[in-house]
Amino acid sequence: MASSAASSVRPPRPKKEPQALIIPKNAAEEQKLKLERLMKNPDKAVPIPEKMSEWAPRPPPEFVRDVMGSSAGAGSGEFHVYRHLRRREYQRQDYMDAMAEKQKLDAEFQKRLERNKIAAEEQTAKRRKKRQKLKEKKLLAKKMKLEQKKQCEGGSFLTQESNVHVPPVLHWQAGSLPLRHPGGPMAVTKATAVSRTGLEEVGRSRPWN
């Protein structure tokens, strides 16, 4: 008996430390106090309230037992029964109207989302096409620039070759042709002669044929 009595005695609870009374002045301080209280014992489970379900009227009964006929007399309590039935019917009709309005708004919202999505896709395709055109234009300009550069390099190479081989012939032709032909009219044409400084134009004469 003594052992059972000793085992049934609960151990004393630890005394809580006195805490200073803090009165929050605004919502931020109140939230801070709640967080501090939660963080003092992080192992303690925090109750999270569930989302409240939307109100719905009570479904109609599957079997009606207290059916009154047209010949039944109305007692003093029937008016209150009728009043409650009428109130429930009005609530049911209001619920049906609210649900119909909500479905209508949801359908309009979905249609608006589809229209916005289509418009955004069209705008994106238009901008993509514009970017593609600009990219192709830049590539074409770059290609033309490279071709012009190659042509300029090829022309300069040909000019260097002509400067190496052609000037002696032109110099010989310009020096060997007479300036006046005996017994015929004189026609002055242009020929090119090569000097040390470059090309210059000189006049030479040839007879009319």
Side-chain angles (χ1 to χ4, degrees):
M1 293 294 292
S3 61
S4 61
S7 61
S8 62
V9 176
R10 295 180 180 178
R13 293 182 180 180
K15 294 183 179 181
K16 294 183 179 180
E17 297 179 359
Q19 297 180 358
L21 179 62
I22 301 175
I23 300 175
K25 297 180 180 180
N26 49 30
E29 291 184 1
E30 184 178 359
Q31 187 71 17
K32 182 180 178 182
L33 291 174
K34 289 181 180 180
L35 290 175
E36 288 178 354
R37 192 181 302 114
L38 288 174
M39 294 307 296
K40 283 182 180 179
N41 189 7
D43 298 334
K44 185 179 178 181
V46 179
I48 300 176
E50 296 181 358
K51 184 179 178 181
M52 296 180 63
S53 59
E54 189 176 0
W55 180 86
R58 186 174 61 183
E62 297 181 358
F63 184 78
V64 181
R65 300 184 183 277
D66 52 349
V67 179
M68 295 182 296
S70 59
S71 61
S76 60
E78 299 300 328
F79 173 74
H80 301 287
V81 175
Y82 165 75
R83 186 164 58 88
H84 292 309
L85 291 174
R86 184 182 63 177
R87 177 176 55 82
R88 284 196 294 268
E89 180 64 18
Y90 285 166
Q91 288 179 352
R92 187 181 68 85
Q93 291 179 4
D94 293 341
Y95 175 77
M96 291 173 63
D97 295 340
M99 291 301 295
E101 186 68 19
K102 183 179 179 181
Q103 291 177 1
K104 181 181 178 182
L105 293 176
D106 291 343
E108 291 179 356
F109 179 71
Q110 293 296 330
K111 289 181 181 179
R112 188 162 63 251
L113 281 181
E114 291 294 331
R115 288 197 300 267
N116 293 342
K117 185 177 180 181
I118 293 172
E121 288 178 356
E122 291 178 355
Q123 189 71 15
T124 304
K126 186 177 179 180
R127 292 178 180 176
R128 187 187 302 113
K129 189 176 180 180
K130 186 176 180 180
R131 289 195 303 268
Q132 191 68 21
K133 284 184 178 180
L134 290 174
K135 188 176 180 181
E136 292 176 358
K137 189 175 180 180
K138 287 182 180 180
L139 290 176
L140 184 62
K142 187 175 181 181
K143 187 177 180 181
M144 291 178 65
K145 188 175 181 180
L146 290 174
E147 290 180 356
Q148 290 178 0
K149 187 176 181 181
K150 289 181 180 179
Q151 289 178 1
C152 291
E153 290 178 355
S156 63
F157 181 72
L158 292 175
T159 306
Q160 290 176 3
E161 288 184 352
S162 62
N163 289 337
V164 172
H165 300 288
V166 176
V169 177
L170 293 176
H171 182 73
W172 173 77
Q173 289 179 357
S176 62
L177 291 176
L179 296 177
R180 178 184 290 273
H181 188 273
M186 183 178 64
V188 179
T189 60
K190 292 182 179 180
T192 54
V194 179
S195 64
R196 292 181 180 179
T197 59
L199 295 176
E200 59 182 4
E201 295 182 355
V202 297
R204 66 183 178 86
S205 63
R206 64 181 180 82
W208 294 92
N209 295 330

